[in-house]
Amino acid sequence: MNAARFLAMGGYAAYVWPAFGLACAVLLWNAWAARRAHARARAEAQRRLAGLEADA
Amino acid sequence: MDRTWLHKLASPPHFYRIAGRLAPWLGWPALALILIGLYGGLVLAPADHQQGEGFRILYVHAPSAWLSMLVYATLALASGIGLIWRIKLAHAVALAAAPIGAWFTFVALATGSLWGKPMWGTWWVWDARLTAELILLFLYLGFLALHGAIDDTGRADRAAAVLALVGVINLPVIHYSVYWWNTLHQGATITKLGKPSITFDMLWPLLVMLTGFTLCFAALLTRRVQAEILRRERDAAWLRAELAR
């Protein structure tokens, strides 16, 4: 397949590529953010437990 | 009816463990389906006879719009369960769903705008479908803002849940807006009860993308609910054993 023709998207490149780029970026960001939220909450809970044990 | 499984599922430690085991089984298939759907939608599907290559925006726009509504239905259902049966886990699910829904509503609006410009000649119109979708974005943001504004978690959960239930009225408005009003937005592509308006080689990448996005939401939700459970159950005894593993 002709790469330049594919990228041109029949003249709609300026609309098609930003739409797909944005959708992929938001999907990736959400995957990263969900993992980070879980990792942070886990680390926070561990710190808290360690603190409680140190106080006891 | 035996409801012990339901009570078990609603218990935070049980749900936390199930979610942890489930997440990879949802996330990796979601990624695979989305990659297949992208290839199918961008490369394999033929160009539309009216909209040319521009119609391909459908493959990210429709799944995002679908999720914007599915996530809200999930959020509202969880809010209702939380309010009626006072199940705390349900409120955690609602709160975890809200940011995901807001993001996909934003993508639906932005990709719709990128589609509207070449096809309708404008980035935005105050059309029924578009306006209702914008209200959906405000409902998500309002839910998050209201929850964040109240310090006591229990009160924040209940206030936000009431807002979520009031907002449910917007869902049928979004769905039927293209029939109730004479709008610029085109009609449904696949939900015309068994008679889709596109051919199979255009349809299958869309179905793959819809399934991929749905699984992706499920995967994101499990991770976010896990995080929310950790925050809410920080003084629970089970957490000590769980974190030691």
PDB file of all heavy atoms in Angstrom, chain B residues 69 109 120 124-137 169-186:
ATOM      1  N   MET B  69     -21.903   6.930  27.677  1.00  0.00           N
ATOM      2  CA  MET B  69     -23.222   6.602  28.208  1.00  0.00           C
ATOM      3  C   MET B  69     -23.193   5.357  29.093  1.00  0.00           C
ATOM      4  O   MET B  69     -23.852   5.304  30.127  1.00  0.00           O
ATOM      5  CB  MET B  69     -24.214   6.425  27.065  1.00  0.00           C
ATOM      6  CG  MET B  69     -24.467   7.738  26.347  1.00  0.00           C
ATOM      7  SD  MET B  69     -25.404   7.567  24.831  1.00  0.00           S
ATOM      8  CE  MET B  69     -26.973   7.040  25.469  1.00  0.00           C
ATOM      9  N   LEU B 109     -16.867  14.199  22.268  1.00  0.00           N
ATOM     10  CA  LEU B 109     -17.139  15.573  21.831  1.00  0.00           C
ATOM     11  C   LEU B 109     -16.056  16.073  20.874  1.00  0.00           C
ATOM     12  O   LEU B 109     -16.350  16.655  19.832  1.00  0.00           O
ATOM     13  CB  LEU B 109     -17.224  16.508  23.044  1.00  0.00           C
ATOM     14  CG  LEU B 109     -18.501  16.399  23.878  1.00  0.00           C
ATOM     15  CD1 LEU B 109     -18.319  17.095  25.220  1.00  0.00           C
ATOM     16  CD2 LEU B 109     -19.683  17.007  23.126  1.00  0.00           C
ATOM     17  N   TRP B 120     -19.995  18.882   8.077  1.00  0.00           N
ATOM     18  CA  TRP B 120     -21.081  19.864   8.248  1.00  0.00           C
ATOM     19  C   TRP B 120     -20.586  21.296   8.018  1.00  0.00           C
ATOM     20  O   TRP B 120     -21.384  22.218   7.988  1.00  0.00           O
ATOM     21  CB  TRP B 120     -21.659  19.812   9.679  1.00  0.00           C
ATOM     22  CG  TRP B 120     -22.170  18.488  10.129  1.00  0.00           C
ATOM     23  CD1 TRP B 120     -22.555  17.446   9.345  1.00  0.00           C
ATOM     24  CD2 TRP B 120     -22.355  18.065  11.485  1.00  0.00           C
ATOM     25  NE1 TRP B 120     -22.972  16.401  10.139  1.00  0.00           N
ATOM     26  CE2 TRP B 120     -22.860  16.752  11.447  1.00  0.00           C
ATOM     27  CE3 TRP B 120     -22.163  18.675  12.729  1.00  0.00           C
ATOM     28  CZ2 TRP B 120     -23.166  16.023  12.606  1.00  0.00           C
ATOM     29  CZ3 TRP B 120     -22.473  17.962  13.868  1.00  0.00           C
ATOM     30  CH2 TRP B 120     -22.963  16.647  13.808  1.00  0.00           C
ATOM     31  N   TRP B 124     -18.795  23.107  15.740  1.00  0.00           N
ATOM     32  CA  TRP B 124     -19.810  22.940  16.784  1.00  0.00           C
ATOM     33  C   TRP B 124     -21.129  23.567  16.379  1.00  0.00           C
ATOM     34  O   TRP B 124     -21.150  24.632  15.749  1.00  0.00           O
ATOM     35  CB  TRP B 124     -19.318  23.591  18.095  1.00  0.00           C
ATOM     36  CG  TRP B 124     -20.297  23.443  19.215  1.00  0.00           C
ATOM     37  CD1 TRP B 124     -21.228  24.358  19.622  1.00  0.00           C
ATOM     38  CD2 TRP B 124     -20.464  22.297  20.058  1.00  0.00           C
ATOM     39  NE1 TRP B 124     -21.971  23.840  20.659  1.00  0.00           N
ATOM     40  CE2 TRP B 124     -21.523  22.582  20.952  1.00  0.00           C
ATOM     41  CE3 TRP B 124     -19.835  21.044  20.134  1.00  0.00           C
ATOM     42  CZ2 TRP B 124     -21.948  21.658  21.902  1.00  0.00           C
ATOM     43  CZ3 TRP B 124     -20.260  20.146  21.088  1.00  0.00           C
ATOM     44  CH2 TRP B 124     -21.291  20.456  21.969  1.00  0.00           C
ATOM     45  N   VAL B 125     -22.245  22.925  16.703  1.00  0.00           N
ATOM     46  CA  VAL B 125     -23.563  23.555  16.599  1.00  0.00           C
ATOM     47  C   VAL B 125     -24.320  23.219  17.876  1.00  0.00           C
ATOM     48  O   VAL B 125     -24.063  22.194  18.509  1.00  0.00           O
ATOM     49  CB  VAL B 125     -24.403  23.051  15.402  1.00  0.00           C
ATOM     50  CG1 VAL B 125     -24.000  23.731  14.121  1.00  0.00           C
ATOM     51  CG2 VAL B 125     -24.326  21.540  15.265  1.00  0.00           C
ATOM     52  N   TRP B 126     -25.258  24.072  18.244  1.00  0.00           N
ATOM     53  CA  TRP B 126     -26.081  23.784  19.428  1.00  0.00           C
ATOM     54  C   TRP B 126     -27.230  22.878  19.011  1.00  0.00           C
ATOM     55  O   TRP B 126     -28.397  23.213  19.109  1.00  0.00           O
ATOM     56  CB  TRP B 126     -26.560  25.079  20.091  1.00  0.00           C
ATOM     57  CG  TRP B 126     -25.404  25.797  20.697  1.00  0.00           C
ATOM     58  CD1 TRP B 126     -24.768  26.888  20.188  1.00  0.00           C
ATOM     59  CD2 TRP B 126     -24.711  25.457  21.914  1.00  0.00           C
ATOM     60  NE1 TRP B 126     -23.714  27.235  21.002  1.00  0.00           N
ATOM     61  CE2 TRP B 126     -23.664  26.388  22.062  1.00  0.00           C
ATOM     62  CE3 TRP B 126     -24.864  24.444  22.875  1.00  0.00           C
ATOM     63  CZ2 TRP B 126     -22.776  26.334  23.140  1.00  0.00           C
ATOM     64  CZ3 TRP B 126     -23.985  24.400  23.946  1.00  0.00           C
ATOM     65  CH2 TRP B 126     -22.955  25.338  24.075  1.00  0.00           C
ATOM     66  N   ASP B 127     -26.803  21.709  18.569  1.00  0.00           N
ATOM     67  CA  ASP B 127     -27.713  20.679  18.113  1.00  0.00           C
ATOM     68  C   ASP B 127     -28.132  19.844  19.318  1.00  0.00           C
ATOM     69  O   ASP B 127     -27.413  19.780  20.314  1.00  0.00           O
ATOM     70  CB  ASP B 127     -26.892  19.880  17.086  1.00  0.00           C
ATOM     71  CG  ASP B 127     -27.458  18.536  16.739  1.00  0.00           C
ATOM     72  OD1 ASP B 127     -27.311  17.599  17.538  1.00  0.00           O
ATOM     73  OD2 ASP B 127     -28.009  18.438  15.650  1.00  0.00           O
ATOM     74  N   ALA B 128     -29.275  19.171  19.259  1.00  0.00           N
ATOM     75  CA  ALA B 128     -29.790  18.439  20.430  1.00  0.00           C
ATOM     76  C   ALA B 128     -28.808  17.375  20.928  1.00  0.00           C
ATOM     77  O   ALA B 128     -28.495  17.298  22.112  1.00  0.00           O
ATOM     78  CB  ALA B 128     -31.131  17.796  20.083  1.00  0.00           C
ATOM     79  N   ARG B 129     -28.298  16.546  20.010  1.00  0.00           N
ATOM     80  CA  ARG B 129     -27.393  15.470  20.387  1.00  0.00           C
ATOM     81  C   ARG B 129     -26.116  16.035  21.022  1.00  0.00           C
ATOM     82  O   ARG B 129     -25.655  15.573  22.063  1.00  0.00           O
ATOM     83  CB  ARG B 129     -27.087  14.635  19.137  1.00  0.00           C
ATOM     84  CG  ARG B 129     -25.970  13.618  19.201  1.00  0.00           C
ATOM     85  CD  ARG B 129     -26.157  12.480  20.141  1.00  0.00           C
ATOM     86  NE  ARG B 129     -27.147  11.457  19.951  1.00  0.00           N
ATOM     87  CZ  ARG B 129     -27.081  10.375  19.180  1.00  0.00           C
ATOM     88  NH1 ARG B 129     -26.088  10.195  18.362  1.00  0.00           N
ATOM     89  NH2 ARG B 129     -28.020   9.471  19.198  1.00  0.00           N
ATOM     90  N   LEU B 130     -25.547  17.060  20.381  1.00  0.00           N
ATOM     91  CA  LEU B 130     -24.286  17.623  20.860  1.00  0.00           C
ATOM     92  C   LEU B 130     -24.463  18.308  22.208  1.00  0.00           C
ATOM     93  O   LEU B 130     -23.636  18.162  23.108  1.00  0.00           O
ATOM     94  CB  LEU B 130     -23.720  18.628  19.835  1.00  0.00           C
ATOM     95  CG  LEU B 130     -22.962  18.035  18.643  1.00  0.00           C
ATOM     96  CD1 LEU B 130     -23.879  17.260  17.727  1.00  0.00           C
ATOM     97  CD2 LEU B 130     -22.267  19.122  17.856  1.00  0.00           C
ATOM     98  N   THR B 131     -25.559  19.053  22.348  1.00  0.00           N
ATOM     99  CA  THR B 131     -25.795  19.767  23.598  1.00  0.00           C
ATOM    100  C   THR B 131     -26.009  18.784  24.754  1.00  0.00           C
ATOM    101  O   THR B 131     -25.453  18.969  25.845  1.00  0.00           O
ATOM    102  CB  THR B 131     -27.034  20.682  23.457  1.00  0.00           C
ATOM    103  OG1 THR B 131     -26.853  21.493  22.300  1.00  0.00           O
ATOM    104  CG2 THR B 131     -27.200  21.564  24.677  1.00  0.00           C
ATOM    105  N   ALA B 132     -26.772  17.717  24.494  1.00  0.00           N
ATOM    106  CA  ALA B 132     -27.022  16.725  25.543  1.00  0.00           C
ATOM    107  C   ALA B 132     -25.718  16.037  25.955  1.00  0.00           C
ATOM    108  O   ALA B 132     -25.491  15.742  27.134  1.00  0.00           O
ATOM    109  CB  ALA B 132     -28.049  15.698  25.061  1.00  0.00           C
ATOM    110  N   GLU B 133     -24.832  15.786  24.983  1.00  0.00           N
ATOM    111  CA  GLU B 133     -23.546  15.152  25.288  1.00  0.00           C
ATOM    112  C   GLU B 133     -22.661  16.098  26.108  1.00  0.00           C
ATOM    113  O   GLU B 133     -21.947  15.669  27.012  1.00  0.00           O
ATOM    114  CB  GLU B 133     -22.846  14.740  23.985  1.00  0.00           C
ATOM    115  CG  GLU B 133     -21.565  13.936  24.160  1.00  0.00           C
ATOM    116  CD  GLU B 133     -21.779  12.473  24.576  1.00  0.00           C
ATOM    117  OE1 GLU B 133     -22.927  12.003  24.548  1.00  0.00           O
ATOM    118  OE2 GLU B 133     -20.778  11.828  24.935  1.00  0.00           O
ATOM    119  N   LEU B 134     -22.745  17.406  25.799  1.00  0.00           N
ATOM    120  CA  LEU B 134     -21.981  18.388  26.578  1.00  0.00           C
ATOM    121  C   LEU B 134     -22.505  18.433  28.015  1.00  0.00           C
ATOM    122  O   LEU B 134     -21.727  18.525  28.971  1.00  0.00           O
ATOM    123  CB  LEU B 134     -22.083  19.772  25.927  1.00  0.00           C
ATOM    124  CG  LEU B 134     -21.240  20.870  26.579  1.00  0.00           C
ATOM    125  CD1 LEU B 134     -19.748  20.570  26.437  1.00  0.00           C
ATOM    126  CD2 LEU B 134     -21.542  22.241  25.964  1.00  0.00           C
ATOM    127  N   ILE B 135     -23.833  18.346  28.175  1.00  0.00           N
ATOM    128  CA  ILE B 135     -24.421  18.313  29.522  1.00  0.00           C
ATOM    129  C   ILE B 135     -23.923  17.084  30.273  1.00  0.00           C
ATOM    130  O   ILE B 135     -23.647  17.138  31.476  1.00  0.00           O
ATOM    131  CB  ILE B 135     -25.969  18.341  29.434  1.00  0.00           C
ATOM    132  CG1 ILE B 135     -26.427  19.721  28.947  1.00  0.00           C
ATOM    133  CG2 ILE B 135     -26.610  18.015  30.784  1.00  0.00           C
ATOM    134  CD1 ILE B 135     -27.909  19.807  28.627  1.00  0.00           C
ATOM    135  N   LEU B 136     -23.751  15.959  29.547  1.00  0.00           N
ATOM    136  CA  LEU B 136     -23.229  14.741  30.171  1.00  0.00           C
ATOM    137  C   LEU B 136     -21.833  14.995  30.748  1.00  0.00           C
ATOM    138  O   LEU B 136     -21.533  14.570  31.870  1.00  0.00           O
ATOM    139  CB  LEU B 136     -23.182  13.602  29.152  1.00  0.00           C
ATOM    140  CG  LEU B 136     -22.755  12.235  29.679  1.00  0.00           C
ATOM    141  CD1 LEU B 136     -23.782  11.688  30.664  1.00  0.00           C
ATOM    142  CD2 LEU B 136     -22.558  11.240  28.543  1.00  0.00           C
ATOM    143  N   LEU B 137     -21.000  15.718  29.991  1.00  0.00           N
ATOM    144  CA  LEU B 137     -19.655  16.041  30.490  1.00  0.00           C
ATOM    145  C   LEU B 137     -19.760  16.859  31.779  1.00  0.00           C
ATOM    146  O   LEU B 137     -19.052  16.596  32.757  1.00  0.00           O
ATOM    147  CB  LEU B 137     -18.862  16.817  29.431  1.00  0.00           C
ATOM    148  CG  LEU B 137     -17.440  17.229  29.831  1.00  0.00           C
ATOM    149  CD1 LEU B 137     -16.569  16.013  30.105  1.00  0.00           C
ATOM    150  CD2 LEU B 137     -16.792  18.077  28.737  1.00  0.00           C
ATOM    151  N   ILE B 169     -31.802  11.254  33.569  1.00  0.00           N
ATOM    152  CA  ILE B 169     -32.779  11.727  32.590  1.00  0.00           C
ATOM    153  C   ILE B 169     -32.104  12.121  31.275  1.00  0.00           C
ATOM    154  O   ILE B 169     -32.679  12.048  30.200  1.00  0.00           O
ATOM    155  CB  ILE B 169     -33.568  12.931  33.185  1.00  0.00           C
ATOM    156  CG1 ILE B 169     -34.733  13.351  32.283  1.00  0.00           C
ATOM    157  CG2 ILE B 169     -32.683  14.124  33.429  1.00  0.00           C
ATOM    158  CD1 ILE B 169     -35.924  12.485  32.451  1.00  0.00           C
ATOM    159  N   ASN B 170     -30.812  12.489  31.377  1.00  0.00           N
ATOM    160  CA  ASN B 170     -30.074  12.924  30.186  1.00  0.00           C
ATOM    161  C   ASN B 170     -29.754  11.768  29.228  1.00  0.00           C
ATOM    162  O   ASN B 170     -29.568  11.989  28.033  1.00  0.00           O
ATOM    163  CB  ASN B 170     -28.788  13.625  30.640  1.00  0.00           C
ATOM    164  CG  ASN B 170     -28.110  14.389  29.529  1.00  0.00           C
ATOM    165  OD1 ASN B 170     -28.777  15.003  28.698  1.00  0.00           O
ATOM    166  ND2 ASN B 170     -26.794  14.347  29.496  1.00  0.00           N
ATOM    167  N   LEU B 171     -29.683  10.538  29.758  1.00  0.00           N
ATOM    168  CA  LEU B 171     -29.274   9.413  28.900  1.00  0.00           C
ATOM    169  C   LEU B 171     -30.263   9.130  27.754  1.00  0.00           C
ATOM    170  O   LEU B 171     -29.850   9.074  26.603  1.00  0.00           O
ATOM    171  CB  LEU B 171     -29.050   8.136  29.737  1.00  0.00           C
ATOM    172  CG  LEU B 171     -27.774   8.103  30.593  1.00  0.00           C
ATOM    173  CD1 LEU B 171     -27.609   6.732  31.222  1.00  0.00           C
ATOM    174  CD2 LEU B 171     -26.537   8.451  29.781  1.00  0.00           C
ATOM    175  N   PRO B 172     -31.580   8.962  28.056  1.00  0.00           N
ATOM    176  CA  PRO B 172     -32.502   8.777  26.923  1.00  0.00           C
ATOM    177  C   PRO B 172     -32.544   9.997  26.014  1.00  0.00           C
ATOM    178  O   PRO B 172     -32.755   9.850  24.805  1.00  0.00           O
ATOM    179  CB  PRO B 172     -33.860   8.530  27.594  1.00  0.00           C
ATOM    180  CG  PRO B 172     -33.697   8.911  29.017  1.00  0.00           C
ATOM    181  CD  PRO B 172     -32.245   8.768  29.344  1.00  0.00           C
ATOM    182  N   VAL B 173     -32.324  11.179  26.583  1.00  0.00           N
ATOM    183  CA  VAL B 173     -32.323  12.385  25.734  1.00  0.00           C
ATOM    184  C   VAL B 173     -31.201  12.289  24.700  1.00  0.00           C
ATOM    185  O   VAL B 173     -31.397  12.548  23.509  1.00  0.00           O
ATOM    186  CB  VAL B 173     -32.174  13.671  26.582  1.00  0.00           C
ATOM    187  CG1 VAL B 173     -32.038  14.890  25.676  1.00  0.00           C
ATOM    188  CG2 VAL B 173     -33.367  13.832  27.515  1.00  0.00           C
ATOM    189  N   ILE B 174     -29.994  11.859  25.158  1.00  0.00           N
ATOM    190  CA  ILE B 174     -28.875  11.712  24.216  1.00  0.00           C
ATOM    191  C   ILE B 174     -29.226  10.675  23.149  1.00  0.00           C
ATOM    192  O   ILE B 174     -29.100  10.913  21.958  1.00  0.00           O
ATOM    193  CB  ILE B 174     -27.586  11.270  24.939  1.00  0.00           C
ATOM    194  CG1 ILE B 174     -27.122  12.333  25.931  1.00  0.00           C
ATOM    195  CG2 ILE B 174     -26.475  10.987  23.926  1.00  0.00           C
ATOM    196  CD1 ILE B 174     -25.917  11.898  26.754  1.00  0.00           C
ATOM    197  N   HIS B 175     -29.706   9.523  23.608  1.00  0.00           N
ATOM    198  CA  HIS B 175     -29.926   8.426  22.682  1.00  0.00           C
ATOM    199  C   HIS B 175     -30.992   8.752  21.642  1.00  0.00           C
ATOM    200  O   HIS B 175     -30.821   8.479  20.450  1.00  0.00           O
ATOM    201  CB  HIS B 175     -30.301   7.148  23.444  1.00  0.00           C
ATOM    202  CG  HIS B 175     -30.417   5.964  22.545  1.00  0.00           C
ATOM    203  ND1 HIS B 175     -29.317   5.336  22.013  1.00  0.00           N
ATOM    204  CD2 HIS B 175     -31.499   5.318  22.030  1.00  0.00           C
ATOM    205  CE1 HIS B 175     -29.718   4.339  21.230  1.00  0.00           C
ATOM    206  NE2 HIS B 175     -31.031   4.304  21.221  1.00  0.00           N
ATOM    207  N   TYR B 176     -32.110   9.315  22.075  1.00  0.00           N
ATOM    208  CA  TYR B 176     -33.216   9.547  21.147  1.00  0.00           C
ATOM    209  C   TYR B 176     -33.202  10.921  20.491  1.00  0.00           C
ATOM    210  O   TYR B 176     -34.070  11.217  19.677  1.00  0.00           O
ATOM    211  CB  TYR B 176     -34.563   9.317  21.852  1.00  0.00           C
ATOM    212  CG  TYR B 176     -34.765   7.860  22.209  1.00  0.00           C
ATOM    213  CD1 TYR B 176     -34.660   7.418  23.522  1.00  0.00           C
ATOM    214  CD2 TYR B 176     -35.034   6.926  21.208  1.00  0.00           C
ATOM    215  CE1 TYR B 176     -34.824   6.078  23.838  1.00  0.00           C
ATOM    216  CE2 TYR B 176     -35.203   5.585  21.512  1.00  0.00           C
ATOM    217  CZ  TYR B 176     -35.092   5.162  22.830  1.00  0.00           C
ATOM    218  OH  TYR B 176     -35.241   3.842  23.128  1.00  0.00           O
ATOM    219  N   SER B 177     -32.209  11.761  20.861  1.00  0.00           N
ATOM    220  CA  SER B 177     -32.197  13.130  20.341  1.00  0.00           C
ATOM    221  C   SER B 177     -32.226  13.167  18.815  1.00  0.00           C
ATOM    222  O   SER B 177     -32.848  14.048  18.230  1.00  0.00           O
ATOM    223  CB  SER B 177     -30.969  13.873  20.859  1.00  0.00           C
ATOM    224  OG  SER B 177     -29.799  13.142  20.578  1.00  0.00           O
ATOM    225  N   VAL B 178     -31.555  12.174  18.169  1.00  0.00           N
ATOM    226  CA  VAL B 178     -31.533  12.212  16.701  1.00  0.00           C
ATOM    227  C   VAL B 178     -32.886  11.848  16.090  1.00  0.00           C
ATOM    228  O   VAL B 178     -33.108  12.064  14.899  1.00  0.00           O
ATOM    229  CB  VAL B 178     -30.422  11.304  16.114  1.00  0.00           C
ATOM    230  CG1 VAL B 178     -29.060  11.918  16.353  1.00  0.00           C
ATOM    231  CG2 VAL B 178     -30.480   9.907  16.681  1.00  0.00           C
ATOM    232  N   TYR B 179     -33.788  11.286  16.906  1.00  0.00           N
ATOM    233  CA  TYR B 179     -35.127  10.991  16.385  1.00  0.00           C
ATOM    234  C   TYR B 179     -36.144  12.030  16.814  1.00  0.00           C
ATOM    235  O   TYR B 179     -37.074  12.352  16.079  1.00  0.00           O
ATOM    236  CB  TYR B 179     -35.591   9.600  16.859  1.00  0.00           C
ATOM    237  CG  TYR B 179     -34.608   8.507  16.518  1.00  0.00           C
ATOM    238  CD1 TYR B 179     -33.841   7.893  17.498  1.00  0.00           C
ATOM    239  CD2 TYR B 179     -34.421   8.122  15.183  1.00  0.00           C
ATOM    240  CE1 TYR B 179     -32.924   6.899  17.166  1.00  0.00           C
ATOM    241  CE2 TYR B 179     -33.517   7.136  14.839  1.00  0.00           C
ATOM    242  CZ  TYR B 179     -32.766   6.527  15.844  1.00  0.00           C
ATOM    243  OH  TYR B 179     -31.864   5.565  15.523  1.00  0.00           O
ATOM    244  N   TRP B 180     -35.982  12.551  18.058  1.00  0.00           N
ATOM    245  CA  TRP B 180     -36.957  13.504  18.585  1.00  0.00           C
ATOM    246  C   TRP B 180     -36.866  14.861  17.921  1.00  0.00           C
ATOM    247  O   TRP B 180     -37.848  15.548  17.742  1.00  0.00           O
ATOM    248  CB  TRP B 180     -36.758  13.680  20.097  1.00  0.00           C
ATOM    249  CG  TRP B 180     -37.167  12.495  20.895  1.00  0.00           C
ATOM    250  CD1 TRP B 180     -37.896  11.418  20.468  1.00  0.00           C
ATOM    251  CD2 TRP B 180     -36.844  12.235  22.270  1.00  0.00           C
ATOM    252  NE1 TRP B 180     -38.047  10.516  21.485  1.00  0.00           N
ATOM    253  CE2 TRP B 180     -37.423  10.986  22.599  1.00  0.00           C
ATOM    254  CE3 TRP B 180     -36.148  12.928  23.249  1.00  0.00           C
ATOM    255  CZ2 TRP B 180     -37.314  10.428  23.879  1.00  0.00           C
ATOM    256  CZ3 TRP B 180     -36.034  12.372  24.517  1.00  0.00           C
ATOM    257  CH2 TRP B 180     -36.614  11.136  24.825  1.00  0.00           C
ATOM    258  N   TRP B 181     -35.644  15.253  17.617  1.00  0.00           N
ATOM    259  CA  TRP B 181     -35.458  16.561  17.000  1.00  0.00           C
ATOM    260  C   TRP B 181     -34.854  16.402  15.615  1.00  0.00           C
ATOM    261  O   TRP B 181     -34.190  15.406  15.331  1.00  0.00           O
ATOM    262  CB  TRP B 181     -34.536  17.429  17.858  1.00  0.00           C
ATOM    263  CG  TRP B 181     -35.134  17.857  19.145  1.00  0.00           C
ATOM    264  CD1 TRP B 181     -36.041  18.853  19.334  1.00  0.00           C
ATOM    265  CD2 TRP B 181     -34.869  17.307  20.445  1.00  0.00           C
ATOM    266  NE1 TRP B 181     -36.366  18.947  20.675  1.00  0.00           N
ATOM    267  CE2 TRP B 181     -35.664  18.017  21.376  1.00  0.00           C
ATOM    268  CE3 TRP B 181     -34.051  16.291  20.920  1.00  0.00           C
ATOM    269  CZ2 TRP B 181     -35.654  17.747  22.738  1.00  0.00           C
ATOM    270  CZ3 TRP B 181     -34.038  16.018  22.275  1.00  0.00           C
ATOM    271  CH2 TRP B 181     -34.836  16.737  23.171  1.00  0.00           C
ATOM    272  N   ASN B 182     -35.071  17.391  14.784  1.00  0.00           N
ATOM    273  CA  ASN B 182     -34.459  17.397  13.484  1.00  0.00           C
ATOM    274  C   ASN B 182     -33.038  17.930  13.652  1.00  0.00           C
ATOM    275  O   ASN B 182     -32.820  19.114  13.796  1.00  0.00           O
ATOM    276  CB  ASN B 182     -35.291  18.324  12.587  1.00  0.00           C
ATOM    277  CG  ASN B 182     -34.856  18.208  11.154  1.00  0.00           C
ATOM    278  OD1 ASN B 182     -34.043  17.357  10.807  1.00  0.00           O
ATOM    279  ND2 ASN B 182     -35.404  19.074  10.321  1.00  0.00           N
ATOM    280  N   THR B 183     -32.075  17.009  13.705  1.00  0.00           N
ATOM    281  CA  THR B 183     -30.728  17.455  14.038  1.00  0.00           C
ATOM    282  C   THR B 183     -29.762  17.255  12.887  1.00  0.00           C
ATOM    283  O   THR B 183     -30.052  16.551  11.926  1.00  0.00           O
ATOM    284  CB  THR B 183     -30.162  16.702  15.267  1.00  0.00           C
ATOM    285  OG1 THR B 183     -29.632  15.454  14.829  1.00  0.00           O
ATOM    286  CG2 THR B 183     -31.227  16.474  16.311  1.00  0.00           C
ATOM    287  N   LEU B 184     -28.593  17.864  13.014  1.00  0.00           N
ATOM    288  CA  LEU B 184     -27.530  17.689  12.035  1.00  0.00           C
ATOM    289  C   LEU B 184     -26.894  16.315  12.174  1.00  0.00           C
ATOM    290  O   LEU B 184     -26.397  15.741  11.222  1.00  0.00           O
ATOM    291  CB  LEU B 184     -26.438  18.748  12.282  1.00  0.00           C
ATOM    292  CG  LEU B 184     -26.412  19.981  11.377  1.00  0.00           C
ATOM    293  CD1 LEU B 184     -25.199  20.816  11.721  1.00  0.00           C
ATOM    294  CD2 LEU B 184     -26.371  19.599   9.918  1.00  0.00           C
ATOM    295  N   HIS B 185     -26.872  15.800  13.420  1.00  0.00           N
ATOM    296  CA  HIS B 185     -26.181  14.547  13.694  1.00  0.00           C
ATOM    297  C   HIS B 185     -26.826  13.407  12.923  1.00  0.00           C
ATOM    298  O   HIS B 185     -28.046  13.294  12.894  1.00  0.00           O
ATOM    299  CB  HIS B 185     -26.214  14.262  15.200  1.00  0.00           C
ATOM    300  CG  HIS B 185     -25.218  13.234  15.632  1.00  0.00           C
ATOM    301  ND1 HIS B 185     -25.384  11.910  15.386  1.00  0.00           N
ATOM    302  CD2 HIS B 185     -24.031  13.352  16.275  1.00  0.00           C
ATOM    303  CE1 HIS B 185     -24.342  11.250  15.874  1.00  0.00           C
ATOM    304  NE2 HIS B 185     -23.498  12.104  16.418  1.00  0.00           N
ATOM    305  N   GLN B 186     -26.001  12.561  12.310  1.00  0.00           N
ATOM    306  CA  GLN B 186     -26.564  11.435  11.569  1.00  0.00           C
ATOM    307  C   GLN B 186     -27.201  10.422  12.510  1.00  0.00           C
ATOM    308  O   GLN B 186     -26.894  10.397  13.699  1.00  0.00           O
ATOM    309  CB  GLN B 186     -25.487  10.785  10.702  1.00  0.00           C
ATOM    310  CG  GLN B 186     -24.368  10.137  11.490  1.00  0.00           C
ATOM    311  CD  GLN B 186     -23.157   9.862  10.603  1.00  0.00           C
ATOM    312  OE1 GLN B 186     -22.691  10.732   9.879  1.00  0.00           O
ATOM    313  NE2 GLN B 186     -22.658   8.639  10.658  1.00  0.00           N
TER     314      GLN B 186
END
